[in-house]
Amino acid sequence: LPAYARDKEGEIIAHHGGHALPDAGARGQEVGEHLYTVRFDARTLWGDAANPRDDVALDLWERYLAAPKCRSLQRALASPDHCACRHAG
């Protein structure tokens, strides 16, 4: 997880299904996890000096996502409105 995105709120815009974790695979373990694309407003990441029309999309493993206070992570990830999420360090 890039440090600039840690503890920032973003919007889940895509779910890419389950994939093998590269780090676990390097250790000979077959461990899978869901992968999501999360969009961040540039101002959320870099403050008011950032262009308000810019955004950043990151592909992130589920372990980096934390539920918004309003609902559980599973419900947020299944939501058709792509509920915002917060990154857990």
Side-chain angles (χ1 to χ4, degrees), residues 12-33:
I12 297 170
I13 58 173
H15 174 240
H16 303 289
H19 297 274
L21 289 172
D23 293 347
R27 293 188 300 271
Q29 301 170 332
E30 292 186 28
V31 178
E33 193 166 312

Side-chain angles (χ1 to χ4, degrees), residues 14-19 33-37 59-62 65:
H15 174 240
H16 303 289
H19 297 274
E33 193 166 312
H34 289 267
L35 183 65
Y36 299 89
T37 299
D59 288 335
L60 300 169
W61 298 108
E62 187 169 20
L65 305 179

